[in-house]
Amino acid sequence: MPRSTTRTRWRLGLATTALLAATALVPVPAHAETVTDYAVTVDPAAQGAQIDDTMYGVFFEDINRAADGGLYAELVQNRSFEYSAVDNRAYTPLMSWTVDGAAQVLDDAGRLNDRNRNYLSLGAGSAVTNAGYNTGVRVEQGKRYDFSVWARAASGSTLTVSLQDAGGVLATARAVTVRKGGWARYRATFTATRTSSEGRLTVASSAATALDMVSLFPRDTYRHEPNGLRKDLAEKIAALRPGFVRFPGGCLVNTGSMQDYSEASGWQRARSYQWKDTVGPVEERAVNSNFWGYNQSYGLGYYEYFRFAEDIGAMPLPVVPALVTGCGQNRAVVDDALLKRHIQDTLDLIEFANGPVTSPWGRKRAQMGHPAPFRLTHLEVGNEENLPAEFFARFAQFRAAVEAKYPDVTVVSNSGPDDSGQTFDTAWQLNRDAGVAMVDEHYYNSPQWFLQNNDRYDSYDRNGPKVFLGEYASQGNAFKNGLAEAAYMTGLERNADVVKLASYAPLFANEDYVQWRPDLVWFNNHASWNSANYEVQKLFMTNVGDRVVPSTATGTPSLQGPVTGAVGLSTWATSAAYDDVRVTGANGDTLLSDDFSGDASRWTHTGGGSWSLQDGQYVQTDTAAENTMVFAGDTAWHDYDLRVKATKKSGKEGFLVAFGVKDTGNYYWWNLGGWNNTRSAVEQAVDGGKSTLISKAGSVETGRAYDIDVKVRGRQVTLYLDGQEWGSFTDDKPAEPFRQVVTEDDRTGDLIVKVVNAQSTQARTAIDLGGARVASRARVTTLAAAPDAVNTETGTAVAPVTSTFTGVANRFTYTFPANSVTFLRIGQR
């Protein structure tokens, strides 16, 4: 945001003036007056909000191969030969395997068990080789790896198990004798003689043998569990010191069939994540078609989630299906018996977590190796449902059942997939009216949105439901994204009496299997690295404090002008036709008029898709392309009317009419029939990141011509559909780059002054601690980097720097670097 040349002045009391040097991090002498950019005033005597130990946590969802090939330490991909075209059209049961000789995957009565449907029949003298994840099976010299397999052979056989890469042997081969008879589990151990990220595991058989659950696990896993977690990834989560772990989703929970995995349901694979599928012996757990387009083994299941939360000292927070699908599916399941079964499953989950070993599910937990309860206190029902009335009718039944049997368990609701709009408002009203304890909000918006909305929770009802900010992120992994999130987090802490829990999302991304960006931690089969956003989260999560110390800060003058820009047309997975485009200035002068009777030379094509003139219309015909923007006009236009006729021809959605277009990453558009033709919204793109300004449910009819009119006046925009006002908004919130919050640590007595300076100029700041008696030294942690800096496997551009500042007094001046997050821990006497 541009800054005014007018500076905020702060008097120390005497007449002399000193200008703080540009690079100095030293206080101005107490006898001087200094010219500063900002002032922060702290009131240590005032009572601020208490901050719970569980304020910040993590959200784990199996997206971007976060589980199999990620946090779950198994090195063999498709170990149970269960990959299917239902998971991904490119999949076969031998995905990730190569065959030398005779081998086939069978689904018959010879299987290992009913829930493990497929197995491999390997011919005599034949072999299969597994390619692992990413570039292969990762092994490290001198480390041990545990191999296991379930096998049966009518006459007995010998399996030769080996590890190798293109350079040769990686470990001494092992011979495994398979006894004559039925299924049994066999084991062997390897010690790697070389380090490789391109290993292959081969199993060769001397005689016809059936194989299932072919596994290779590193011995060195997090906390050394036999079905354990990849150490470097688990340690990155533990280093955050999270207050809670939300799991397992996300869209995994509220998509697909709500039936079980059984013969009665036809062994449905595309199911919602149901906890009972994921406990017990791993070879007896169900498989699933992951919503994100791959197979999900459930080797990492509810028991492992509970154990991990306990290991890192975090509160477990599971999410169960509400029987209303979301994430673009938007269907309410009407089956009373099925609803009752899921409610009972939820009660059984609480018993599994907390019940005594004498209870059925407490006994199951003990049999898995954990007699002590897991101390479950919070449980969420549903995730981002777009049908608030249908969702809440079912949620109320879950809540009543849980509260009747387990009154100490908090049942968490949600407010849909957006930060505002019709669904959000309806869901919140239902939650308020019913006195729900906590509501989960989710949103992914541009950095500008986060800079503009620091005050979001200032106006929330202090006596209403508490907020769980279960998923949020700005749209990128550059440091500018982390800065915007850090600025927003100061508002979360300031409102800690309302916002009780918060977690960035998603957590993990395997760089070779990405469905969603941005993500907190990136990895491949041999390395992992922290995003810039991770460093921001870690700084906040490890320096929370126990209460807010009220404080105020001066702001940055805003120099906003009117909404300016050209006009545009686009589509998203849809073919649409446009006609009679007319742009007129506020004085009635024609700026653009195009009925497409000639050519389209005034339009510049910046997106994908295929545009052509057809029958006097401008038509985009590619129903696969997702942003097909064409624009026309002058980026300096302001205060104008845009009129256009739009007709959907085919495809998934409706049409997009853009205004205020500056370039391919900065514009507004009216998205009519978006989100699989379920709602319409105005979105603003800033540097490529989009946020929603206004949203309503609604769809677009195929073949119908719509009259669209957008009136831009100053920073106010009014939208008309077929002559009727559809909505309006005023985009006038400043994107404030300077934010702060102060908290106190009860254990150390420290005041923690947290300041975000999300601009490319330093911020000379006068800090008044309001009479607090403080030590002269402060421990300083600073994150500072270029706005576009990104951490990678080979380079860490964003990392914390610690230092000591010796100029602390009750009033002192500190210069916060450009593009920085700074925490000053100041001891109190």
Side-chain angles (χ1 to χ4, degrees), residues 798-815:
V798 182
V801 175
T802 58
S803 61
T804 301
F805 175 61
T806 58
V808 179
N810 189 252
R811 291 178 174 179
F812 66 100
T813 302
Y814 193 95
T815 297

Side-chain angles (χ1 to χ4, degrees), residues 106 116 256 586 771 828:
L106 301 177
N116 199 325
Q828 296 188 84

Side-chain angles (χ1 to χ4, degrees), residues 530 535-536 538-539 780-784 791 796-802 821:
N530 303 330
E535 296 297 348
V536 166
K538 184 178 179 182
L539 187 57
V780 185
T781 306
T782 306
L783 290 171
N791 289 348
T796 306
V798 182
V801 175
T802 58
V821 183

Side-chain angles (χ1 to χ4, degrees), residues 442-765:
H442 295 178
Y443 37 84
Y444 298 90
N445 289 321
S446 68
Q448 175 165 300
W449 185 95
F450 284 95
L451 292 176
Q452 289 175 319
N453 286 278
N454 179 274
D455 62 350
R456 176 181 176 87
Y457 296 107
D458 291 359
S459 60
Y460 272 49
D461 181 2
R462 293 2 238 180
N463 298 313
K466 302 305 179 185
V467 172
F468 172 21
L469 181 48
E471 298 183 33
Y472 74 98
S474 73
Q475 293 154 340
N477 275 143
F479 188 49
K480 63 186 176 185
N481 301 99
L483 285 169
E485 291 153 7
Y488 193 71
M489 292 171 81
T490 66
L492 300 183
E493 291 192 3
R494 186 176 65 251
N495 289 285
D497 57 329
V498 169
V499 183
K500 306 304 287 184
L501 308 168
S503 50
Y504 180 101
L507 180 58
F508 284 126
N510 185 321
E511 66 174 353
D512 292 332
Y513 309 93
V514 181
Q515 293 86 41
W516 185 278
R517 300 172 188 266
D519 305 286
L520 204 63
V521 176
W522 289 77
F523 67 93
N524 51 38
N525 67 352
H526 62 274
S528 57
W529 54 99
N530 303 330
S531 67
N533 318 66
Y534 175 97
E535 296 297 348
V536 166
Q537 292 290 323
K538 184 178 179 182
L539 187 57
F540 275 85
M541 292 170 77
T542 56
N543 293 277
V544 183
D546 296 286
R547 73 174 181 93
V548 175
V549 182
S551 61
T552 58
T554 53
T556 307
S558 174
L559 301 178
Q560 286 184 331
V563 171
T564 61
V567 298
L569 310 170
S570 189
T571 59
W572 197 282
T574 301
S575 173
Y578 295 93
D579 200 0
D580 297 333
V581 179
R582 185 175 175 85
V583 181
T584 54
N587 60 1
D589 291 347
T590 298
L591 303 177
L592 173 71
S593 180
D594 201 338
D595 62 3
F596 302 108
S597 58
D599 57 32
S601 59
R602 282 176 284 187
W603 297 85
T604 300
H605 187 188
T606 61
S610 178
W611 289 86
S612 61
L613 293 176
Q614 297 180 16
D615 301 323
Q617 295 181 313
Y618 202 22
V619 182
Q620 197 293 115
T621 55
D622 186 347
T623 56
E626 290 192 332
N627 184 358
T628 66
M629 174 85 81
V630 293
F631 70 89
D634 190 334
T635 56
W637 282 352
H638 61 87
D639 296 289
Y640 58 77
D641 290 2
L642 164 63
R643 295 182 179 87
V644 60
K645 288 186 180 295
T647 306
K648 174 182 176 178
K649 298 177 73 68
S650 62
K652 295 180 179 179
E653 305 206 342
F655 27 79
L656 299 143
V657 175
F659 53 96
V661 179
K662 292 184 173 62
D663 53 45
T664 56
N666 294 274
Y667 54 85
Y668 302 81
W669 67 19
W670 189 2
N671 185 349
L672 287 147
W675 297 271
N676 288 324
N677 206 15
T678 60
R679 59 191 175 102
S680 299
V682 176
E683 298 176 281
Q684 181 183 19
V686 179
D687 294 333
K690 289 199 291 289
S691 54
T692 300
L693 303 182
I694 183 172
S695 176
K696 295 183 180 182
S699 60
V700 166
E701 298 176 26
T702 301
R704 174 184 164 189
Y706 289 83
D707 289 318
I708 294 168
D709 183 2
V710 180
K711 293 185 182 298
V712 181
R713 296 292 185 273
R715 300 203 67 81
Q716 181 172 351
V717 178
T718 309
L719 307 109
Y720 298 86
L721 187 63
D722 289 335
Q724 300 296 314
E725 183 174 332
W726 179 87
S728 65
F729 67 92
T730 303
D731 181 23
D732 61 356
K733 295 191 74 172
E736 173 59 62
F738 185 87
R739 295 292 187 184
Q740 58 77 38
V741 70
V742 180
T743 63
E744 184 175 27
D745 186 323
D746 285 346
R747 184 180 63 82
T748 64
D750 289 349
L751 289 177
I752 312 173
V753 179
K754 312 174 187 184
V755 175
V756 181
N757 181 28
Q759 59 192 330
S760 295
T761 53
Q762 62 187 9
R764 294 171 293 182
T765 305

Side-chain angles (χ1 to χ4, degrees), residues 348-371:
D348 291 344
L349 171 60
I350 300 171
E351 183 179 289
F352 176 78
N354 295 349
V357 296
T358 54
S359 66
W361 287 102
R363 184 180 308 111
K364 182 75 167 181
R365 181 193 68 241
Q367 290 168 348
M368 294 185 71
H370 200 280

